[in-house]
Amino acid sequence: MKSMRGEAQCVSPEALRECLREGDLVVALAGNPNVGKSTVFNQLTGMRQHTGNWPGKTVLSAWGRCAFGGKNYVLVDTPGAYSLSARSAEEEAARDFICFGEADAVVVVCDATCLERNLHLILQIMEVTDRVAVCVNLLDEAGKKHIRVDLEALERELGVPVVGSAARSGKGIDAILQAADRAMRGEGHPRLPRYSAALESAIAPLEEELTRLGLALRPRWLACRLLEGDREWLARIEAFLGDSVEKLPGIAAILEKAPRSISNPREEMVQCLYRRAEEIVHACVFEQGDASRRQARWDKILTSRKTGIPIMLLTLAVVFYITILGANYPSEVLSGMFARLEEGFAGMLASLNAPNWVIGLLAEGMLRVLGWVVSVMLPPMAIFFPLFTLLEDLGYLPRVAFNLDRCFQRCRACGKQCLTMCLGFGCNAAGVVGCRIIDSRRERLIAILTNSLVPCNGRFPMMISLIGVFFVGGGALFGGAVLSAAALTGVILLGIAMTFLASRLLSATLLKGVPSSFTLELPPFRAPRVGHVIVRSVLDRTLFVLGRAVAIAAPAGLIIWTLANASIEGKTLLSYATDFLQPVGRLMGLDGVILMAFILGLPANEIVLPLAVMAYTAGGGLVEMENMGALKNVLVANGWTWLTALNAVLFSLMHWPCSTTLITIYKETRRGYWTLVAFLLPTMLGFLCCLFTATLARIAGLA
């Protein structure tokens, strides 16, 4: 029986060593992405860590504790990696811990449904350390696909302890620590792949020399890296030796004598590992049925040039439809709740004999703006983020990235930007944080600077309202959800097109460079864990983003109320500002009021339309319309036409990011310059787009 308790967040290997207690045994969990490694970690530690390679996930190593068999284990969940060659930040973090984290054992978690792909990493880790155990996870899914893995044969082939598990249901979890304990006791004798005679003759003297130098890592691993010409590992050896750098000429002499017939050692080693993986799978894996062929057929449909993009757009429209339709009632309930709270709060302040301006500032200003942000922002996020996470859990999002990778490559950006762009539909701040998964700094900056060109759910209410009032008829709240979702999808497509345009523009000017390649896995389709997905999306995404928005919206409410109520010579400060912006607004096909509303809506895009209505009705606080008809009457009475509504939607799609996103951009880039570019880029695109439509309408006599 084991007791479980989680004790830590994500830390570096150096910080982890400071947290170790006497008698702790460190077990590193390694493996490819999407093999259930974090599920194994959570089952063993009782934590809820979600580590991976998709947006919002960490590239550091999470750790936790558990006790089993009278021993205390510290388990380290390293990021998913395909190789120890470290072509990405995730692989570098995993490699560094496996090589230098001083783990007592490494448990490599692999996917029973596609074992061959996982064996490359297993064979590499076996070259690093002989204290290795293998956990063949997802045996339940392999059974459904009629795939059988002979674990005993696999253990004989690898020469290390091998166990099977179905971590999601908790089966085989105890055996994982038992296998790790066997590895620590030296029961494993890894059967390393043998290279060609010429390569082995070059490796052998390097092994001897490195053994003589007394380096911590296995000499064979270091010998292979040096023979490949890896300068990083040569620098690491120099760091290991300290003042003994004079011993390195011996290594240089050996490398100089290496056989000239070895033209590309790295390529030969990789090919040898893959051949060995094929041999192992042939001896240990037996497949019946056509599960793999069925998935291949689905992938052919979902990633085809003819059907992949249409299916992606249809999926996007369905997600928007569910979000629009499902968010209406909760928004009304929350709005009513905050209205009653505001009334009670104002009454309490009045009973305390507070001045009217204090009541207005706190109740009509701060609390009312706060209520608008929560009631309008929370329901769509609470629906959109779980739907997004369900698609991720199902395995569909990597296929979306595959479909759009070619477009981003043409823009000289990274295909992973597609995933951060998808996350931006929920919240641009979350999308900016998700850009951490992009390895290249240049491409990461492109993704950060263009993320706000896809609208977050804070901009959806205004877009949906204006589309419903001026273009669909009746609005999404009264039976037009399907048409509104279709029209909104069209607006989204324009945002995606502008993302491509802006990415290409940045690639040709401020951020010149060549697009990098990356490994994109198409994981098997899996039935999503609905309960786990809902909890994870609400806790990790919805509440995190909402908390930031609330922290900014509360003080913004004080400023908005002050501008709407403070006056000079009988004219409010808000009126002075809207009059000043009127010429620019007219040039763009808008007016000064809506431009000022966008400026005051910097803390949260949800309040832009209510601010405009407040200015039109000369009210001292935010106004909520009883229905879409009342909203249209107010807007038309103040000179709005279809062109005004169209440009308002376009400028809502393309304007400066909200304050939460700007703060996040600054934290991610640590440069005020890039934060300014992120502010100006979408704003200029929005200005030019509105100017173009307004000018075109005037020339055609439609305005």
Side-chain angles (χ1 to χ4, degrees):
M1 183 67 66
K2 58 179 178 292
S3 61
M4 304 178 184
R5 56 191 185 278
E7 291 199 0
Q9 300 296 322
C10 297
V11 295
S12 64
E14 295 76 14
L16 175 62
R17 295 190 193 103
E18 298 176 2
C19 302
L20 294 179
R21 305 167 184 169
E22 186 177 353
D24 282 344
L25 298 172
V26 179
V27 177
L29 295 179
N32 291 179
N34 304 305
V35 297
K37 179 171 51 62
S38 293
T39 305
V40 170
F41 174 82
N42 292 336
Q43 289 280 9
L44 289 169
T45 63
M47 297 176 69
R48 294 183 177 178
Q49 181 62 35
H50 188 51
T51 306
N53 291 4
W54 303 115
K57 317 292 176 56
T58 178
V59 296
L60 295 177
S61 300
W63 69 275
R65 295 180 180 274
C66 73
F68 179 79
K71 299 179 181 180
N72 295 321
Y73 294 92
V74 172
L75 291 114
V76 182
D77 181 19
T78 63
Y82 294 100
S83 167
L84 295 185
S85 300
R87 293 173 295 177
S88 67
E90 297 92 344
E91 291 182 345
E92 184 177 349
R95 180 205 63 187
D96 285 351
F97 191 86
I98 292 168
C99 292
F100 312 112
E102 300 178 5
D104 295 288
V106 178
V107 175
V108 188
V109 183
C110 54
D111 185 349
T113 65
C114 45
L115 184 61
E116 183 175 344
R117 186 183 63 212
N118 295 237
L119 282 169
H120 181 82
L121 179 65
I122 294 173
L123 294 171
Q124 281 192 322
I125 292 176
M126 285 166 50
E127 287 187 325
V128 174
T129 175
D130 56 1
R131 296 190 300 275
V132 180
V134 174
C135 169
V136 182
N137 192 32
L138 302 173
L139 286 177
D140 50 346
E141 292 192 14
K144 293 176 183 177
K145 296 181 178 182
H146 305 288
I147 297 173
R148 183 175 67 86
V149 180
D150 188 335
L151 300 179
E152 293 181 359
L154 182 60
E155 183 165 327
R156 288 194 300 271
E157 290 288 334
L158 294 175
V160 299
V162 174
V163 295
S165 71
R168 288 206 289 187
S169 60
K171 294 180 180 179
I173 294 299
D174 291 349
I176 296 173
L177 290 179
Q178 292 173 352
D181 188 58
R182 288 173 56 197
M184 292 178 199
R185 294 200 306 266
E187 292 187 20
H189 301 285
R191 293 183 58 189
L192 301 178
R194 305 302 296 178
Y195 303 119
S196 67
L199 199 53
E200 288 290 347
S201 66
I203 292 174
L206 280 174
E207 281 190 84
E208 292 179 7
E209 178 68 12
L210 291 167
T211 302
R212 186 182 68 80
L213 293 174
L215 299 180
L217 282 174
R218 288 187 72 172
R220 183 177 178 83
W221 168 260
L222 290 175
C224 291
R225 304 292 75 77
L226 291 176
L227 203 59
E228 290 176 351
D230 194 325
R231 300 186 63 83
E232 179 186 356
W233 282 100
L234 183 61
R236 287 181 182 272
I237 291 174
E238 292 176 345
F240 291 154
L241 294 175
D243 295 332
S244 303
V245 180
E246 68 277 1
K247 298 179 180 178
L248 285 179
I251 295 177
I254 296 172
L255 291 174
E256 183 67 24
K257 296 178 182 178
R260 296 290 181 265
S261 59
I262 309 173
S263 59
N264 193 337
R266 180 189 295 267
E267 181 66 21
E268 183 175 334
M269 291 175 190
V270 169
Q271 292 299 325
C272 180
L273 291 178
Y274 280 122
R275 285 195 300 270
R276 178 61 182 143
E278 290 177 3
E279 293 172 1
I280 294 172
V281 168
H282 182 72
C284 305
V285 180
F286 307 94
E287 184 173 354
Q288 298 174 343
D290 60 346
S292 299
R293 288 190 291 273
R294 280 200 303 271
Q295 176 160 322
R297 286 196 294 268
W298 275 109
D299 279 335
K300 188 175 182 180
I301 296 172
L302 295 176
T303 60
S304 167
R305 292 189 179 185
K306 294 180 180 179
T307 58
I309 297 296
I311 291 175
M312 182 187 70
L313 296 178
L314 180 61
T315 303
L316 184 65
V318 170
V319 168
F320 286 144
Y321 172 77
I322 296 173
T323 302
I324 292 169
L325 199 62
N328 293 330
Y329 180 71
S331 291
E332 292 177 2
V333 172
L334 286 172
S335 180
M337 183 185 73
F338 273 99
R340 292 189 294 272
L341 181 62
E342 178 188 330
E343 185 178 350
F345 184 59
M348 182 192 71
L349 292 176
S351 66
L352 296 175
N353 297 319
N356 289 334
W357 68 269
V358 173
I359 296 175
L361 189 66
L362 296 179
E364 297 178 9
M366 182 184 71
L367 188 57
R368 187 173 296 181
V369 171
L370 188 63
W372 261 96
V373 171
V374 173
S375 60
V376 175
M377 190 174 183
L378 179 58
M381 277 200 305
I383 295 172
F384 180 85
F385 277 141
L387 290 175
F388 181 89
T389 311
L390 281 172
L391 291 175
E392 176 187 352
D393 226 35
L394 181 64
Y396 181 63
L397 287 189
R399 283 138 179 107
V400 173
F402 179 87
N403 289 331
L404 294 181
D405 176 56
R406 190 178 298 105
C407 299
F408 280 108
Q409 287 288 321
R410 289 177 179 174
C411 298
R412 298 190 177 181
C414 178
K416 285 184 180 179
Q417 186 175 337
C418 165
L419 299 170
T420 67
M421 182 179 69
C422 289
L423 195 61
F425 287 127
C427 174
N428 293 132
V432 168
V433 173
C435 295
R436 295 174 184 174
I437 65 169
I438 300 175
D439 309 316
S440 163
R441 179 178 179 274
R442 181 190 75 86
E443 292 167 348
R444 185 165 58 251
L445 280 172
I446 291 175
I448 289 173
L449 298 178
T450 59
N451 191 268
S452 62
L453 290 172
V454 293
C456 64
N457 63 56
R459 287 181 264 176
F460 288 161
M462 176 177 178
M463 291 180 174
I464 294 167
S465 296
L466 295 180
I467 288 171
V469 166
F470 285 92
F471 302 105
V472 173
L477 297 179
F478 295 91
V482 174
L483 291 176
S484 293
L488 183 60
T489 302
V491 174
I492 300 305
L493 289 179
L494 176 61
I496 294 174
M498 297 306 293
T499 300
F500 291 145
L501 175 63
S503 298
R504 187 67 185 88
L505 180 65
L506 289 170
S507 298
T509 53
L510 299 178
L511 295 167
K512 294 181 179 180
V514 178
S516 62
S517 60
F518 71 101
T519 302
L520 178 64
E521 178 186 8
L522 295 183
F525 291 107
R526 297 171 183 161
R529 296 162 291 169
V530 178
H532 177 74
V533 163
I534 292 175
V535 171
R536 196 176 79 210
S537 59
V538 170
L539 294 180
D540 293 354
R541 293 172 176 169
T542 304
L543 295 183
F544 170 76
V545 174
L546 184 66
R548 279 192 175 184
V550 166
I552 296 172
L558 303 177
I559 298 173
I560 292 169
W561 188 90
T562 302
L563 290 174
N565 289 272
S567 60
I568 300 176
E569 298 179 354
K571 189 174 181 179
T572 64
L573 297 179
L574 184 60
S575 297
Y576 280 110
T578 56
D579 290 346
F580 176 77
L581 294 172
Q582 187 72 5
V584 179
R586 289 299 182 194
L587 183 65
M588 298 171 58
L590 300 169
D591 60 23
V593 171
I594 191 64
L595 275 187
M596 190 62 195
F598 274 112
I599 294 172
L600 293 177
L602 178 67
N605 289 296
E606 295 83 358
I607 61 177
V608 171
L609 192 56
L611 282 170
V613 173
M614 180 185 73
Y616 287 135
T617 57
L622 293 183
V623 178
E624 182 175 6
M625 295 289 98
E626 295 180 357
N627 54 54
M628 293 295 104
L631 174 63
K632 184 174 183 179
N633 290 337
V634 170
L635 296 179
V636 171
N638 285 274
W640 276 55
T641 64
W642 67 269
L643 180 62
T644 316
L646 175 62
N647 285 333
V649 171
L650 291 176
F651 200 66
S652 180
L653 176 68
M654 294 173 282
H655 71 288
W656 49 83
C658 70
S659 54
T660 303
T661 304
L662 288 173
I663 291 172
T664 305
I665 291 172
Y666 179 77
K667 288 182 177 179
E668 292 297 311
T669 62
R670 296 295 180 185
R671 290 283 302 276
Y673 171 77
W674 292 119
T675 307
L676 180 62
V677 173
F679 181 94
L680 294 176
L681 178 65
T683 304
M684 291 305 300
L685 289 174
F687 174 81
L688 293 175
C689 193
C690 290
L691 181 63
F692 174 77
T693 56
T695 303
L696 192 63
R698 289 168 186 144
I699 293 175
L702 300 175

